[in-house]
Amino acid sequence: MSTRDNLPKADGNEENKIETLETNSENSIQPDQESNSADITSDQEDITPSETENTVSETNEGAEQKNTSEESTPIASEENEGETPQEQETSSKDSEDDGVQNQMDEAVAEHSEDESTQEKHDIEKKDYHAMTKEELIKELRYLVKNEKVQAIKEHVEEIRSEFNEKFNEEVEQKKEEFLADGGDIIDFYYSTPVKKEFNSVYFDYKEKRNAYYQNLKKDLQENLKRRLDLIDELKGLLNVDENINSTYNHFKSIQERWRNAGPIPRDKYNTVWNTYHHHTENFYDFLHLNREFRDLDFKHNLEQKLKIIERATELAQETDVNRAFRELQLLHKMWKEDLGPVGKEYREPIWEKFSALTKQIHENRQKYFKELDKVYEVNLEKKREIIQKIIEVGSDHPNNHSGWQQKIKEIETLREEFFKAGKVPSNVNEQTWSEFKTAVRDFNRNKNAFYKGLKKEQFENLNKKMELIKIAEDNKDSDDFSVTTPLMKKIQADWKKIGHVPRKDSDRIWKRFKDACNSYFDRLHAERNEANKEELVSLEKKQAHIEALKDLELSGDPEADLQTIKENISVWKTLGRVPYKKKNIESEYNKILDELFKQLNLSRKETELIKYENKLSTLSNQTDDRALKNEQNFIRKKIDEVNGEIRQLENNLQFFKNAKDDNPLVKEVQKNIQKHRETLEVWKAKLVKIKQL
C-alpha cells in the first residue's frame, strides 16, 4: 500500500492527520532512506515539472476546458512505440494530468500578475446577443463607470462584437436601399447617433484600460526587481557569519518581505518562484544543523497544506463548477506562494492527493461544459428553424405596399426571435450568423426591388398631391364656408388615398398641404366660435320664453286661445338657433305646447301640424335645400314604416276571424290599427306642407 493511499482524510484535526502521515511514512521508508531522513536535499518540495510549464491562460477557460480531453489525448509517435497497453495508458494518464496542472499553473500565474482578474467572474454576463444596440450601449457605459477596467475585458469585447454585428447588418441594408435608389457606391456613407455614442463610450474604456495597464507594467517591473533582490539576499544567508537564531530570523524576514513584494509579470512567474523555492530548499539543508527550527516550519506547512486538501475535497463536490475552479486557483496560489516545504516523506503523497483533486474538479468542469454544449445545440436548432422561416417568408413577393409592410413586420419578429434564441456552439457561430444575414439580405433585396419599381408611381402621386396643395392654397382664405368646407374635407380625404411619394419630398409637401388646411380651418373655427356666442344668447332667450309659457293661462275662448298659442310659436321662431348640445330645448318647448293644446280639445293631427310649422320655418331658413330634402325623405320613410305596421296588424286579425268582436285581443289589435292610421294621416299632412315650401 502506497503512502498516497494512506493519506489521512481531511477531517479538520491536523494533529491526527500529521500522526497518520508520520506512521505511514515510517512504514514506507526503506532502511537506507531512514538514515538520511533528517537531511533535506535540494529537491524541490512541491514544484513538479508540470508546475513549471507555461500553458494556456484562464481568460479563455471556457473553450480550453472543453477541449482538454482532446489536447491531452496521446498521439502515437516514436516515443510510445513498443510500449505495452498498460504503459501507454500510464503515459496517457500522466500527459492528461500534466495538461490539467499546466492549465492551473498558467491560471495562477495570470492571477498573480493581476489579482483583480478574479473579480471578472463576479460580474454578471448578460445575454448580450438578445440586446438592442441601445441596450448594449447602456450596459457598456455601466460597466466602464462602475466596475474595475481590468475585470471587464471579456464583457466589453462581447458587447463590442454584438454591437458591430448588429450595426453592420443595418449598414448593409441601408447600402442596398441607397443603391436601389440609384446612388453610387462611392458616395455611400452611413452613420447614426447610436454608433457615435457607442464609439465614445468604447473610447473611454480604452483610455481607462490603457492607463491602468501602463501603471501595472511599471509596478510589475519594480516588484520583479524587488523579488530578485530578495533571492540574492536569501542566497547570501548561507555565507553569513552569525549565530543560527539570527540567521533564522533573517530568513523569516525575507519570507515576510517576499509575501508582500507584490505581483510580477506572468512570463517571469514560474522561473522566479522556482528559483526562490530552490534557494529556500538550500537554506533548509543548511538548517540541518538546527533541526528544531526546520521541523517547526515543516509541521506548520504540513498543517496548512492539509487544510488546503480538505477544502479541495469540498470543492470536488461543489455544484457550481466555475466557482470551484476559481477557488481552486486560489488554493494553488496559496500552496505555491504562501507555504513552504514539508518533510520529505510527506511531499509526494500530499502533492499526489492535491493533484488528484485538481483533476477531479477539472473533470467536473469539463462535464459541465459538455452539458452546456447540449443547450447550445438546442439553440442552434432553433436558430436554423428561424432562418428557414425567414427564407420562406422572403420567397413570397407581395405586389402591393401593404403586403410588403406585413412581410417586413414578420421578418422583424423573426429577427428578434433569432437574437433571443441564445448562444450556439462557437464552431458554428460564424456560419449561423452568415446564414442569417444572407436570408435577411435576400429578403431586403427583393423588397428594395419592389420599391424601386414603385418610383414611377410615386412621382405620379407627387403630381396629384401638388394639385391638391394648389386647391388648398387657393381656397384657404375663402369666406364662403358652406361651399369651401366640404371642398377642403374632400381634398383631405383624397390626399390619404393617393399613396406614397418620394421620401425626399414627403415632409416638404405635407407641410405645405397641412399649413393651407390649418389656415382655413382655424378661420372656420374662429367664425363658429363667434356664432356660438349668438347661439348662447338665443338659448337664454328661449329658456326665458319657456318659463313665461309655463305661466300662461288660457281665457277659455278656443279661437282666442289658439291665436295666443300661435303668436307664442311665432315669437319662438324669431329667437334663433341654440347650441347643438342644447337642442333638446325644442322637446321641452313642445311638451308645454302639448299641455296647452289639450286644453283646446284640438285633434292630434291639428296639434302636430301647428307644431310642425315651427320646424318647417327653421328648415326653410337654411342656406341650402339639403335639410328640406332630408326631411322629405325622412317623412316618406316614416309613411312606409307606418303602412307596414298597419298591414302587419291587419294580417294578425286573420288569426282571429272566428273570434267575437268583443274579444280583448281583437279589440287591442283594432285599437292599434286605428292609432297607426291616425299617425299615418299626420305624416301625410306633414309631407303636403313641406312640399308647399
Side-chain angles (χ1 to χ4, degrees):
M1 183 179 293
S2 69
T3 305
R4 177 181 177 182
D5 293 333
N6 284 311
L7 188 67
K9 295 183 179 180
D11 57 5
N13 190 331
E14 269 58 16
E15 293 295 335
N16 291 340
K17 297 174 194 173
I18 295 171
E19 289 176 7
T20 305
L21 278 173
E22 290 174 346
T23 302
N24 292 337
S25 300
E26 289 172 1
N27 293 335
S28 61
I29 296 176
Q30 299 300 321
D32 58 336
Q33 293 174 319
E34 292 178 3
S35 60
N36 298 321
S37 61
D39 298 331
I40 304 298
T41 68
S42 61
D43 294 340
Q44 297 179 11
E45 170 259 329
D46 55 354
I47 306 299
T48 67
S50 64
E51 289 181 81
T52 62
E53 297 176 10
N54 293 326
T55 58
V56 185
S57 163
E58 192 231 350
T59 46
N60 294 319
E61 64 185 36
E64 291 155 9
Q65 290 305 312
K66 291 188 283 184
N67 295 327
T68 299
S69 60
E70 297 177 5
E71 293 172 354
S72 60
T73 301
I75 302 176
S77 64
E78 294 179 0
E79 294 180 2
N80 54 21
E81 283 185 2
E83 292 181 354
T84 65
Q86 292 81 1
E87 290 172 333
Q88 291 180 358
E89 182 179 352
T90 302
S91 175
S92 172
K93 180 178 181 299
D94 292 342
S95 176
E96 183 178 351
D97 290 347
D98 287 348
V100 170
Q101 190 57 48
N102 287 342
Q103 291 184 50
M104 184 56 62
D105 285 344
E106 179 59 26
V108 172
E110 180 189 14
H111 181 267
S112 295
E113 179 184 73
D114 182 3
E115 296 181 352
S116 63
T117 55
Q118 202 70 22
E119 297 177 10
K120 68 185 178 183
H121 302 290
D122 298 325
I123 303 173
E124 179 187 5
K125 267 193 179 180
K126 299 180 180 179
D127 188 358
Y128 303 131
H129 194 58
M131 290 184 176
T132 64
K133 294 190 291 296
E134 291 77 8
E135 290 170 339
L136 289 171
I137 292 173
K138 182 179 179 182
E139 182 65 18
L140 177 60
R141 180 180 285 108
Y142 173 83
L143 291 174
V144 173
K145 181 179 179 181
N146 297 284
E147 303 292 350
K148 292 183 178 179
V149 69
Q150 65 271 28
I152 60 174
K153 178 181 177 182
E154 294 179 22
H155 301 72
V156 171
E157 290 308 312
E158 282 193 33
I159 290 173
R160 182 169 177 259
S161 176
E162 291 295 343
F163 182 91
N164 286 339
E165 284 182 354
K166 288 178 170 62
F167 182 74
N168 290 338
E169 181 196 4
E170 184 178 334
V171 170
E172 288 296 321
Q173 182 177 345
K174 297 299 181 182
K175 184 189 295 182
E176 290 179 5
E177 292 176 0
F178 178 77
L179 296 177
D181 288 338
D184 191 329
I185 187 63
I186 266 182
D187 300 324
F188 178 75
Y189 172 78
Y190 181 75
S191 184
T192 65
V194 171
K195 174 62 172 172
K196 293 177 181 177
E197 184 180 3
F198 178 84
N199 289 344
S200 175
V201 179
Y202 186 71
F203 178 78
D204 292 342
Y205 161 73
K206 288 197 298 183
E207 279 201 327
K208 194 174 179 181
R209 179 196 63 187
N210 292 341
Y212 168 79
Y213 282 109
Q214 285 176 1
N215 293 330
L216 178 63
K217 183 178 179 181
K218 179 181 177 182
D219 292 342
L220 292 176
Q221 292 300 323
E222 291 177 355
N223 295 340
L224 176 61
K225 183 179 182 304
R226 188 178 298 114
R227 287 188 185 275
L228 292 176
D229 290 343
L230 288 171
I231 289 174
D232 288 339
E233 189 176 343
L234 177 61
K235 289 162 59 177
L237 288 180
L238 303 183
N239 301 317
V240 174
D241 186 14
E242 59 184 1
N243 65 61
I244 194 65
N245 289 332
S246 298
T247 302
Y248 183 75
N249 290 334
H250 192 172
F251 171 70
K252 283 298 182 182
S253 171
I254 292 174
Q255 282 187 316
E256 181 64 25
R257 283 178 284 154
W258 179 270
R259 280 192 287 268
N260 298 322
I264 62 175
R266 79 178 73 172
D267 59 333
K268 307 291 185 184
Y269 178 80
N270 284 318
T271 301
V272 171
W273 273 100
N274 289 339
T275 303
Y276 173 73
H277 280 292
H278 170 72
H279 291 292
T280 300
E281 294 283 352
N282 287 343
F283 179 76
Y284 278 108
D285 284 345
F286 174 73
L287 276 187
H288 74 277
L289 298 175
N290 192 324
R291 185 170 182 176
E292 180 182 355
F293 290 134
R294 182 194 63 184
D295 289 349
L296 284 174
D297 265 3
F298 282 177
K299 181 178 180 181
H300 168 75
N301 294 337
L302 180 60
E303 290 174 352
Q304 298 304 312
K305 288 189 175 183
L306 287 174
K307 288 181 180 179
I308 290 177
I309 290 174
E310 181 179 6
R311 181 55 186 156
T313 303
E314 295 172 355
L315 292 179
Q317 309 302 319
E318 173 65 56
T319 55
D320 187 343
V321 293
N322 286 322
R323 177 178 173 275
F325 178 73
R326 293 194 296 271
E327 189 169 340
L328 180 64
Q329 293 176 46
L330 297 177
L331 296 181
H332 273 265
K333 188 170 184 288
M334 292 169 58
W335 187 288
K336 192 169 189 178
E337 295 184 13
D338 298 341
L339 301 175
V342 299
K344 184 176 180 180
E345 64 272 25
Y346 304 131
R347 294 177 188 173
E348 187 65 20
I350 64 172
W351 175 248
E352 288 183 359
K353 179 63 175 177
F354 189 38
S355 296
L357 291 169
T358 297
K359 182 183 176 184
Q360 183 179 346
I361 293 169
H362 272 260
E363 289 174 349
N364 293 344
R365 198 158 174 268
Q366 281 183 309
K367 183 179 178 182
Y368 165 77
F369 281 114
K370 286 181 181 179
E371 293 299 320
L372 199 59
D373 277 345
K374 294 179 182 178
V375 176
Y376 289 168
E377 288 292 339
V378 173
N379 296 342
L380 177 61
E381 288 303 313
K382 291 180 183 177
K383 289 197 169 185
R384 284 175 173 168
E385 290 175 3
I386 292 170
I387 292 171
Q388 187 57 40
K389 289 180 181 179
I390 292 175
I391 294 173
E392 292 172 1
V393 172
S395 63
D396 179 23
H397 304 158
N399 55 8
N400 55 58
H401 170 70
S402 60
W404 276 103
Q405 291 301 306
Q406 180 60 36
K407 292 289 182 183
I408 291 171
K409 290 179 182 177
E410 292 178 24
I411 293 295
E412 188 58 33
T413 299
L414 290 171
R415 285 182 75 257
E416 291 177 3
E417 291 178 6
F418 181 87
F419 288 127
K420 292 178 180 178
K423 294 183 179 180
V424 299
S426 58
N427 61 324
V428 294
N429 185 55
E430 289 296 328
Q431 177 187 349
T432 307
W433 177 247
S434 176
E435 291 173 357
F436 169 73
K437 288 195 296 184
T438 299
V440 174
R441 188 180 296 118
D442 289 343
F443 169 80
N444 287 331
R445 284 174 178 167
N446 292 327
K447 175 198 69 176
N448 293 337
F450 167 78
Y451 282 105
K452 186 176 181 180
L454 286 182
K455 275 192 171 183
K456 181 179 178 181
E457 180 182 340
Q458 288 181 349
F459 279 114
E460 292 175 355
N461 292 341
L462 176 61
N463 291 332
K464 293 177 182 177
K465 288 193 172 183
M466 291 302 296
E467 292 175 1
L468 296 181
I469 289 173
K470 187 175 186 309
I471 295 173
E473 291 178 342
D474 289 345
N475 290 274
K476 67 185 181 68
D477 296 323
S478 173
D479 292 327
D480 190 353
F481 297 116
S482 60
V483 174
T484 307
T485 300
L487 174 64
M488 297 297 277
K489 289 182 178 180
K490 181 179 183 304
I491 64 174
Q492 285 181 324
D494 292 344
W495 181 280
K496 295 178 182 178
K497 297 175 184 176
I498 291 177
H500 293 283
V501 299
R503 187 182 304 170
K504 62 181 180 179
D505 299 309
S506 179
D507 292 341
R508 176 178 58 83
I509 65 171
W510 167 243
K511 185 176 184 307
R512 281 184 62 184
F513 183 70
K514 182 179 68 172
D515 288 347
C517 291
N518 286 348
S519 176
Y520 172 77
F521 283 106
D522 286 346
R523 292 175 52 253
L524 175 64
H525 294 153
E527 184 74 18
R528 286 182 175 174
N529 288 338
E530 190 63 32
N532 286 341
K533 294 179 182 178
E534 297 178 0
E535 290 176 353
L536 290 173
V537 173
S538 297
L539 175 62
E540 293 177 359
K541 292 179 179 179
K542 287 194 172 184
Q543 288 173 337
H545 188 81
I546 287 176
E547 292 302 320
L549 188 60
K550 289 179 180 178
D551 297 332
L552 178 64
E553 294 184 3
L554 300 180
S555 63
D557 182 351
E559 291 185 6
D561 290 339
L562 179 59
Q563 185 61 33
T564 300
I565 293 174
K566 286 183 177 181
E567 289 174 357
N568 189 287
I569 293 174
S570 298
V571 173
W572 180 267
K573 294 177 183 178
T574 64
L575 298 181
R577 296 175 57 183
V578 298
Y580 181 78
K581 294 181 179 180
K582 299 294 184 179
K583 64 180 182 179
N584 61 338
I585 197 171
E586 297 290 339
S587 300
E588 184 180 353
Y589 179 66
N590 286 329
K591 288 180 181 178
I592 298 174
L593 289 180
D594 287 341
E595 293 299 323
L596 294 174
F597 284 131
K598 286 180 182 178
Q599 297 180 38
L600 299 180
N601 293 322
L602 294 178
S603 67
R604 181 187 173 198
K605 178 179 177 181
E606 291 175 319
T607 301
E608 288 295 327
L609 290 178
I610 292 172
K611 290 191 296 182
Y612 192 60
E613 288 180 357
N614 183 31
K615 184 174 183 179
L616 287 180
S617 175
T618 303
L619 294 174
S620 62
N621 289 332
Q622 296 192 10
T623 54
D624 56 34
D625 60 351
R626 282 184 300 176
L628 285 172
K629 290 180 179 178
N630 290 339
E631 181 67 12
Q632 284 190 41
N633 292 333
F634 173 74
I635 292 174
R636 288 193 177 96
K637 182 179 178 182
K638 297 301 292 184
I639 290 173
D640 291 340
E641 289 177 359
V642 175
N643 277 325
E645 291 288 339
I646 292 173
R647 285 194 298 272
Q648 182 63 44
L649 291 169
E650 289 177 343
N651 289 335
N652 292 343
L653 279 178
Q654 299 300 318
F655 294 104
F656 302 101
K657 58 184 178 180
N658 295 324
K660 296 181 178 180
D661 291 340
D662 58 352
N663 184 295
L665 291 176
V666 174
K667 292 174 69 175
E668 181 64 27
V669 172
Q670 289 175 341
K671 180 179 178 182
N672 283 339
I673 291 174
Q674 182 59 34
K675 182 177 178 181
H676 279 79
R677 283 176 177 166
E678 292 175 359
T679 302
L680 181 61
E681 290 300 319
V682 172
W683 286 117
K684 287 181 177 180
K686 288 182 178 181
L687 183 60
V688 171
K689 276 191 170 293
I690 199 170
K691 285 182 177 180
Q692 293 174 352
L693 294 177

